[in-house]
Amino acid sequence: MRAVVVPEPGGVEALQVVDVEAPEPGPGEVLVRVTAAGVNRADLMQRQGFYDPPEGATPILGLECSGDVVALGEGVTEFSKGEHVVALLSGGGYAEYVAVPAGQVAVAPRGVDLVDAAGLMEVAATVWSNVFMMAKLQHGETLLVHGGASGIGTMAIQLAKAFGARVVVTVGSAEKAAFCRELGADLAINYRETDFVDALDEAGLKADVILDIVGAKYLDQNVRALNTAGRLVVIGLQGGVKGELNLNRLLMKRAAVMATSLRARPTQEKAAIVSAMVAQVWPLVADGTVRPIVHARMPLDQVRDAHQVLEDSSHTGKVLLTL
């Protein structure tokens, strides 16, 4: 089968489409024939040598996919051959076939094209597990999302609004700000022009929950932006790994800082996240309240171009690879 590997870490030129042996489903696994795979920043980090797969995971890139079930491992009874599914992966999505634990597979939601559905699992599971399960965003609270026009950002806007929260986003251009407002964001701040803490203050707002992909660079600003009893959830480190934390400010606000990674969690935890996410999010996808935002669909052979789009931050929503 065709698959994307990285023999040596590097730039987009390090990505190679090669022929490898197709996987077989082990006990408790589902073999999926891939229709499309989502491209995520974690894939870029793996390509650059900064984010190794978990122990035992395939080195083939790709953390999510859509497709149809072609084989079932021992003990799997909840899926049928030919069923359209989406999957949350530890790796292997950039390939024609992938074997995945059954608990990380879900029937594709109704009303969504199977190609577009490839961009749902990673962002929906990330937002649901971090914003709702961990940070416990409530109706009437304010969510601040950094990178509002990204795949995660566009999903966070839609889900937070669906559950009655106010949404503020930071973006890098006027065009992305306009798109986020059209999607439902109450306030979109161009971080290239305005300090987001000042913008929040001018609007009379504080963030009850912050979903942060930047890390160290934004640490002090994020804490200043938090409301009393606010929750900062760090899920990315694009702005560095070491920052100075004002513990007194955190203490006075009775606030919390949390940092999580989805990929490295045990299979059982991922399965619990997928189960909860499907129960809460899939009905919203089926009725059109939440939809996948797709920037581009590219064939697998154009994987280098797909990575370049993310590196340039020229996308709004998800970039998908089709097979």
Side-chain angles (χ1 to χ4, degrees), residues 1 21-33 68-77 79-81 96-103 105:
M1 69 172 187
E21 186 175 351
E24 295 288 339
E29 291 187 333
V30 174
L31 183 65
V32 177
R33 178 166 50 213
D68 55 277
V69 175
V70 294
L72 303 172
E74 181 183 349
V76 178
T77 59
F79 297 100
S80 303
K81 291 182 181 180
E96 292 181 309
Y97 295 89
V98 63
V100 55
V105 180

Side-chain angles (χ1 to χ4, degrees), residues 170-195:
T170 61
V171 294
S173 71
E175 293 77 16
K176 289 184 177 181
F179 181 86
C180 289
R181 287 192 294 267
E182 291 174 6
L183 199 57
D186 298 280
L187 177 63
I189 304 164
N190 188 335
Y191 66 84
R192 300 183 192 276
E193 299 176 350
T194 307
D195 182 284

Side-chain angles (χ1 to χ4, degrees), residues 28-96:
E29 291 187 333
V30 174
L31 183 65
V32 177
R33 178 166 50 213
V34 177
T35 297
V39 179
N40 293 280
R41 285 204 175 270
D43 303 333
L44 276 62
M45 293 175 61
Q46 181 175 335
R47 186 201 77 219
Q48 295 162 348
F50 300 135
Y51 193 24
D52 292 335
E55 186 176 352
T58 174
I60 297 170
L61 273 67
L63 300 182
E64 61 183 339
C65 73
S66 63
D68 55 277
V69 175
V70 294
L72 303 172
E74 181 183 349
V76 178
T77 59
E78 58 267 46
F79 297 100
S80 303
K81 291 182 181 180
E83 203 163 21
H84 292 329
V85 296
V86 290
L88 181 70
L89 311 170
S90 296
Y94 293 15
E96 292 181 309

